[in-house]
């Protein structure tokens, strides 16, 4: 589904080498934790998958296609295959929960007759159907983040990228968010979650890829990760 072949990334302006010779293959339906300290390169790696950045060396493949060849209008189409969740929910403040989700469906060109079903299904998954008329400022931090997840899922993406989705949450809310990602994974989605939370990784024994100063230093198969 996602394949990094000897990927190197250097930020041109500062000449920061963020990633070195990364080799990584993520299969369809896998759940992968991407862990590493701040500055290890996690967000940079996700940005390459979204084609927000271009590798300075090597190649990134998505569904077998080299992203280098994805240009122009095709970039937006590529991004529509991916649901993204950030640390900050980034909801539109002047729109209700429901409108935040239908906004995505409009952009995706989903027929309006399907909107209500899609929105309800997505909000049900995060347990917030009853909040569909609320505005973001009327939600708790945990609820906002769950709405952001519902928004990432409403277009039925093949792949979900989450960049420290529990970074602003207390442990109970973090685990609630993890439960949602577990359910999404169980339904067949491919999930790549950047985190530096040991609690999360311990709570869901899945494959763990460890970045350290831009290098992939460990890649532990499902259940094999230990903190030693
Ligand atoms: N826009 C940028 N311009 C220059 N350097 C950057 C930029 N974004 C990140 N970096 C650098 O790239 C490295 C990896 O950063 P990042 O991918 O954000 O790590 P993480 O998400 O693991 O905290 C760091 O050294 C960081 O300072
Ligand atoms: Mg980051």
């Amino acid at each position: 589904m996602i394949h990094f072949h000897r990927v190197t990334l250097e930020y041109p302006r500062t000449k920061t080498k963020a990633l070195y010779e990364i080799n990584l293959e993520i299969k369809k339906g896998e759940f992968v934790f991407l862990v590493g300290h701040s500055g290890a390169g996690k967000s940079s790696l996700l940005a390459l998958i979204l084609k927000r950045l271009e590798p300075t060396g090597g190649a990134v493949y998505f569904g077998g296609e080299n992203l280098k060849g994805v240009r122009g209008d095709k970039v937006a189409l590529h991004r529509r295959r991916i649901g993204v969740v950030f640390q900050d929910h980034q909801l539109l403040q002047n729109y209700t929960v429901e409108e935040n989700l239908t906004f995505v469906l409009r952009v995706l060109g989903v027929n309006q007759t399907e909107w209500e079903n899609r929105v309800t299904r997505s909000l049900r998954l995060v347990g917030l159907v009853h909040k569909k008329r609320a505005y973001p400022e009327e939600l708790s931090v945990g609820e906002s983040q769950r709405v952001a997840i519902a928004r990432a899922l409403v277009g039925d993406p093949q792949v979900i990228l989450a960049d420290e989705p529990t970074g602003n949450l207390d442990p109970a809310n973090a685990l609630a968010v993890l439960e949602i990602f577990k359910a999404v994974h169980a339904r067949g989605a491919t999930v790549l979650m950047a985190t530096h939370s040991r609690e999360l990784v311990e709570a869901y024994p899945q494959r763990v890829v460890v970045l350290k100063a831009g290098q992939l230093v460990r890649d532990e198969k499902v259940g094999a990760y230990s903190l030693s």
Side-chain angles (χ1 to χ4, degrees):
M1 186 85 242
I2 299 168
H3 180 196
F4 280 65
H5 177 70
R6 300 187 62 181
V7 170
T8 294
L9 174 69
E10 182 177 313
Y11 284 99
R13 208 176 61 77
T14 56
K15 303 250 181 290
T16 309
K17 276 212 166 171
L19 296 168
Y20 302 85
E21 299 261 334
I22 301 291
N23 289 302
L24 176 64
E25 168 112 46
I26 297 174
K27 297 213 161 61
K28 192 169 187 300
E30 266 195 291
F31 187 111
V32 181
F33 283 113
L34 183 62
V35 310
H37 296 300
S38 184
K42 303 182 294 297
S43 298
S44 300
L45 190 149
L46 299 180
L48 289 169
I49 298 170
L50 285 164
K51 210 175 153 78
R52 288 196 179 135
L53 295 171
E54 295 297 325
T56 28
V60 180
Y61 299 83
F62 188 101
E65 182 178 21
N66 188 339
L67 290 182
K68 189 168 183 183
V70 174
R71 288 160 200 269
D73 296 349
K74 297 224 171 96
V75 174
L77 290 174
H78 164 64
R79 289 182 185 149
R80 288 177 199 176
R81 304 186 287 186
I82 303 172
V84 191
V85 180
F86 297 100
Q87 181 167 344
D88 298 315
H89 56 77
Q90 302 187 354
L91 298 174
L92 302 168
Q93 293 298 315
N94 298 325
Y95 291 78
T96 62
V97 164
E98 184 175 32
E99 288 163 353
N100 267 275
L101 271 60
T102 53
F103 188 88
V104 174
L105 295 173
R106 184 192 309 269
V107 170
L108 293 177
V110 173
N111 195 311
Q112 205 163 342
T113 56
E114 284 184 43
W115 288 7
E116 194 175 339
N117 268 340
R118 293 268 210 132
V119 166
T120 305
R121 197 174 60 189
S122 213
L123 286 176
R124 193 175 291 141
L125 199 72
V126 302
L128 289 173
V129 177
H130 59 291
K131 294 285 187 188
K132 71 179 184 184
R133 308 246 186 267
Y135 285 90
E137 64 179 16
E138 298 169 327
L139 303 174
S140 71
V141 181
E143 287 167 345
S144 300
Q145 192 59 321
R146 278 151 60 202
V147 171
I149 297 168
R151 182 184 53 180
L153 298 173
V154 77
D156 267 335
Q158 302 161 23
V159 170
I160 319 288
L161 303 180
D163 197 354
E164 308 206 26
T166 65
N168 288 338
L169 304 180
D170 60 45
N173 274 308
L175 287 176
V177 159
L178 180 68
E179 286 303 319
I180 296 166
F181 281 104
K182 280 163 78 167
V184 170
H185 178 221
R187 291 168 11 148
T190 308
V191 182
L192 177 57
M193 182 186 295
T195 183
H196 49 229
S197 162
R198 291 182 168 192
E199 287 75 17
L200 280 200
V201 176
E202 285 174 350
Y204 194 36
Q206 293 294 321
R207 180 176 173 194
V208 179
V209 169
V210 184
L211 289 180
K212 189 173 181 183
Q215 288 184 304
L216 199 163
V217 293
R218 280 172 76 184
D219 185 351
E220 305 281 354
K221 61 180 185 293
V222 176
Y225 182 70
S226 70
L227 298 172
S228 56

